[in-house]
Amino acid sequence: MIGFIKRVAKRFVKDVTLGLVFPLAYRYFSRKPVVRGRVLFFETKETVMPDSFELLFKRLEDDPGKSPRYLTLNQNHVSYVQYLKNSVRALHDISRVEVVFLSDASDLVSCIKLRPETRVVQLWHACGAFKKWGMSTAELKFGGSKKDLLKHPFYKNLSLVTVSSPEVAWAYEEAMVLQDTPEIIKPLGVSRTDVFFDQGFLTNARNKVKEAVPAIEGKKVVMYAPTFRGRVAKAEGPNKLDICALKDAVGDHVVLLIKHHPFVKQLPPIPSECADFAFDVTRDLPIDQLLCVADVCISDYSSLVFEYSLFGRPMAFFAYDLDDYCDWRGFYYPYDELTPGPVFRDNESLIDWVKHVDERFDSAEVDAFRSKFMSACDGNATERIVLSVW
């Protein structure tokens, strides 16, 4: 009963704040003029600046006519009351800037009547279009009802949405409910992928990974990077990979690096007898460095495979719960047609593939995938985005 009352109360507060308080606060703050050249990189959940922002932020810092700032609401890291206070303060900042950059959904930015002097650019935090999100998940177990999603939208007031290729524009149009303004979705590329074309970054990434895991020296690096299971607030990392069996099969020449989704709070343990073979680097190394170093990638439903395709290396998909996950969240393309590598539902088949990956890898499959879904990611996305905005 107490839980029910709390949910009703929180929903009431959400209706009042998003429907009345926040719009009025923004309108009040908008009495002052927009400051020329002021740019806000706005985040809802993450405390530190996400990699989706980093290159653009640095690029604008070097521009004498621009004044970029990073701001986060720290949702899920502070109390609900503090989150509401942070939201009001953010509205003050949003009311004074020329451009707001987002990398995720934002009901705060969407609930206001945006002044015409301000533009909102959605960079999104993922490439391609793999598992569904936004309005595409309406009525699925993962998403809410269509009515609720429309009541408090997450993708209003957008002026520009950058995507990794023309092929995926339709998915963003559906997910973000942009049927009335499809022209704002532009295949300019994804800014954060520019680092994968920077030789200095690639060299530094290998040094950083080797420093954190010296055992990779002289061995093939297999990265296991699955997405989370369940809802974001209680995200769990899958633990079905038979690490011991994989070690027995390839442990003499392979090191396994495990990178769980950042939403996962309780990391699945690694068997003690595999401590010299498998290393969980979820908290220690960023995914962009790991992508540079991994000789083989094993994932499941994570969009990181789009970035990894830029390297043209082998990847496989350990989708032991494919049917359940499809019912839970769904995909934009038929799974078996989308994946640029073999799909496995059991450990035996996956391990056998890893053991013989050199002779079984089909590079043409990855090349076709990259051409279809990542054609605008060529190392120059950041500059194209800047030129498009200004």
Side-chain angles (χ1 to χ4, degrees), residues 26 29-42 57 60 65-71 89-102 109 112 114-121 157 159 389-390:
Y26 176 79
F29 296 139
S30 296
R31 296 179 305 162
K32 294 182 179 181
V34 164
V35 179
R36 186 175 179 82
R38 186 176 289 184
V39 180
L40 185 66
F41 288 78
F42 180 59
F57 191 92
L60 296 179
K66 305 295 186 297
S67 178
R69 182 190 172 205
Y70 174 66
L71 177 67
R89 290 170 184 158
L91 289 169
H92 175 267
D93 287 6
I94 293 169
S95 72
R96 305 292 305 283
V97 302
E98 281 191 326
V99 180
V100 178
F101 283 108
L102 304 174
V109 173
I112 60 180
L114 192 70
R115 62 194 306 177
E117 302 97 319
T118 300
R119 288 163 292 159
V120 179
V121 179
N157 291 323
S159 304
V389 175
W390 283 279

Side-chain angles (χ1 to χ4, degrees), residues 134-136 146 149-150 153-156 171-181:
M135 187 56 71
S136 300
K146 185 175 181 179
L149 291 171
L150 290 174
F154 287 96
Y155 306 104
K156 285 186 67 177
Y172 287 74
E173 179 183 327
E174 176 185 295
M176 298 181 180
V177 198
L178 298 176
Q179 288 80 5
D180 292 336
T181 56

